[in-house]
Amino acid sequence: MWTVSNMQTSNATSLTSRHVAVIGAGAAGLVAARELWREGHQVVVFEKDSQIGGTWVYTPQVETDPLGLESTRHIVHTSLYKSLRTNLPRESMGFMDYPFVTRAGEGSDPRRFPGHAEVLKYLQDFAREFGIEEMVRFECEVVSVEMVDNEKLKVKCKRMRPDGGGGDDLLDEVFDAVVVCNGHFTQPRIAEIPGINLWPGKQIHSHNYRTPELFKDKVVILIGSSASAIDLSLEIGGIAKEVHIASRSVANDTYEKRAECDNIWLHSMVRVPTHVESESERAIIRKFASKGLPPPKKKNLQIKSAHKDGSVAFRDGNTIVADIILHCTGYKYYFPFLKTNGIVTVDDNRVGPLYKHVFPPIFAPRLSFVGLPYRSLPFPIFEIQSKWISGVLSDRIVLPSQEDMMEDINTFYSTLEDSGVPKRHTHSMGDTMIDYNAWVASLCQCPCFEEWRVQMFYETAKRLNANPKTFRDEWEDNNLVLQACEDFSKYI
């Protein structure tokens, strides 16, 4: 899969400069703008907020719909909670040639795993260092991106009037290329729970969690296993009556208290044995069989059922009466502004078809995405993807043919299916991150991730799983920190 035989460095003697739009001024958009500018492109960054930072701009404001499902709600972009600290050490988290080191200044946070305000300050420093703010059009929300003349992309944005007058101005501009960097922590994914419409309790998605006061003395069910789910279970557990965690990562047949937490319980998702199918289920099976298709798979629900008496049944066989369900169940990729006539879609959280998570073959290289992969080193991945896009747009790097890219995509999808990876995890990197980075770096003729950075990533994951309470403040990888500091001396 990771071969360069169909993609080569161009023999062009001069680079092509293009007019490029970047959507979003978060971490991905900022580094994309820098790499595009370095490659000689003319860059405009559209940012709907009044400042840079994207999801790292904290606000206590939450949405009117705590589940984030109402299409008419006012959308709050950030999902940060007040107490959030990074789950990666600053050494491995930062861009490769702009280290995330402690910088002097009022309110700086010197911890290895700093709070969100320190990350925002880092991004502000990065933007200032490279003059990126001069490329940003603030308070400009992109509402439409569509092809024109088969070679250009028209970007329509809604711009707030500077005089504060009623209404917004709609502006159109045509670009050679558009790079989508709008983030993916805004549209909540909600766990499906049979009977939830009858359940009388309160539900909230972690997107709308800021502080734990709402959960004081309550019986809480938390669904999910992400780093934020771990953080919130511990924070809420400090004031809640009970916290019950339903997670796919909990071992089968588990119903036990979390270590060192007297009021936090872990529930496995072992499949409850099913009996003979109902008549309606048998009818569905017959319908599929008549078309030569296998029966549809039963959904692997995290909660068995909820009931109007307030009780919630877990898949491990236990039932409790709960006050609140907190969904720490992740987010959906969401691009309401993209007008591609159904060519680029989001299907069960798979954005596709995309070549190597970046280029839709039919629109490549005019349309591209930065930052879709997760379970990775986000800022460095943004950086390497941006270098690739910038080089392709300048004609320094040549993409494979549209047919070859589609063949690679189909092979990738087949590999995921054969490995039992659900479609919704298409953009999950995990152990493939290292090969992906090395492959893209070889195309860009730039350094790949340092060995210490990769080791630090995996060491941190081990500590998180073993000691979720203390992993940020107790570590034994000082040798890796020393290696990082030695590398950083080249840039500081």
Side-chain angles (χ1 to χ4, degrees), residues 242-245 255-258 262-267:
E242 295 176 7
V243 178
H244 294 260
I245 301 173
Y255 175 58
E256 63 185 14
K257 286 184 179 179
R258 171 179 275 170
D262 289 338
N263 66 335
I264 300 181
W265 296 83
L266 302 175
H267 295 259

Side-chain angles (χ1 to χ4, degrees), residues 18 147-154 174-177 366:
R18 301 190 189 277
M147 297 296 302
V148 291
D149 301 328
N150 294 323
E151 292 185 356
K152 304 282 186 176
L153 288 157
K154 183 170 69 174
V174 175
F175 292 86
D176 298 314
R366 291 160 294 177

Side-chain angles (χ1 to χ4, degrees), residues 29 41 51 84 159 267 315 356 359 377 433 437 457:
H41 301 295
Q51 62 176 309
L84 182 141
R159 187 165 197 168
H267 295 259
R315 305 227 11 229
K356 309 300 187 188
F359 292 106
L377 288 162
M433 172 186 69
N437 169 256
F457 174 79

Side-chain angles (χ1 to χ4, degrees), residues 369-407:
F369 296 78
V370 172
L372 298 187
Y374 58 96
R375 289 186 64 223
S376 66
L377 288 162
F379 289 14
I381 285 285
F382 302 165
E383 185 175 4
I384 198 71
Q385 289 182 326
S386 298
K387 289 180 184 293
W388 183 23
I389 293 167
S390 302
V392 170
L393 288 175
S394 71
D395 296 327
R396 182 170 57 84
I397 302 171
V398 181
L399 285 173
S401 68
Q402 188 179 126
E403 292 76 16
D404 285 346
M405 285 192 282
M406 280 305 307
E407 182 179 353

